[in-house]
Amino acid sequence: MPGTERQRMRWFAVVLPGSAAAAVYGWVHWYLAGPSSPPTAVAVAGGALLVAGACAAYVVRVGGSGGLFGVLFLAVGLLLTVTAADQAAARAEVATCVVEAVHGRVQASYGEGGPPEKTVYRLELRCPGGYPAELKDDRPLAAVGEEIAVAYDPRRRVSPAPEGESAPWRAALCALVLLAAGTEIARRRVRSAGVTSGT
């Protein structure tokens, strides 16, 4: 019986990355799209606890140098899961807006080795209902007088974005790769522990 219990606890580490990702995605989706979502402070604290708790459980169950790499994969994978949930649920509405003005502001480079100088563009918009009123990007999206489709969150929890540019697929794919790597590390540790213990 004790051996069976140990084996269950080892396999817990294998299913942990996928289960944690599902829980984190569900929590963020509920916050961004739920009809009775919690206040922002509660949502952020709850998400941070989910990520930290999953990482702590992974380290305890997997252990060793593999556990260190695995928990890094898990942590980044869960943060990318948050990004994917944000991009999938946060901008549910699309408005066709007219560009009324375009302002460019140069952001200087910060010394050698820093990011290069770039221009940030702020478009003043006239949209049905008056929101969104502006859109920021690192490239000129449209000229004055042109129309642009803008995806936005009606509850204004995140900033608007050009339609089609907040797709979650890239973040979701990267999260999947990292979570799979964390799962594989845990699986190998479970397998080696089983061989060592003679199970």
Side-chain angles (χ1 to χ4, degrees):
M1 191 70 173
T4 304
E5 185 63 26
R6 281 197 301 271
Q7 193 68 10
R8 284 181 185 159
M9 295 307 288
R10 289 182 191 130
W11 281 106
F12 169 77
V14 175
V15 300
L16 178 63
S19 301
V24 167
Y25 186 93
W27 178 262
V28 175
H29 181 75
W30 175 51
Y31 165 65
L32 294 173
S36 58
S37 55
T40 300
V42 174
V44 171
L49 283 174
L50 278 173
V51 172
C55 291
Y58 187 95
V59 168
V60 169
R61 294 299 169 212
V62 177
S65 59
L68 176 63
F69 287 107
V71 78
L72 289 174
F73 291 148
L74 175 62
V76 176
L78 292 177
L79 293 176
L80 285 168
T81 301
V82 171
T83 301
D86 172 79
Q87 292 175 344
R91 299 171 181 91
E93 301 292 333
V94 177
T96 301
C97 306
V98 177
V99 178
E100 294 194 319
V102 178
H103 306 282
R105 182 170 54 88
V106 176
Q107 289 185 340
S109 175
Y110 295 100
E112 187 176 337
E117 181 179 282
K118 72 174 184 176
T119 303
V120 176
Y121 296 91
R122 183 174 64 86
L123 284 68
E124 292 182 18
L125 305 174
R126 186 177 73 247
C127 302
Y131 184 81
E134 68 175 20
L135 182 64
K136 295 179 181 177
D137 206 284
D138 57 0
R139 64 195 195 283
L141 297 167
V144 174
E146 291 183 349
E147 290 187 342
I148 183 170
V150 181
Y152 67 96
D153 173 19
R155 295 190 296 175
R156 306 183 186 190
R157 291 185 182 265
V158 293
S159 59
E163 183 185 20
E165 294 193 12
S166 61
W169 312 119
R170 181 180 297 173
L173 182 60
C174 292
L176 184 63
V177 170
L178 291 171
L179 293 168
T183 300
E184 179 61 18
I185 289 171
R187 189 190 67 78
R188 288 185 181 197
R189 293 283 296 170
V190 166
R191 186 176 175 187
S192 65
V195 169
T196 303
S197 64
T199 57

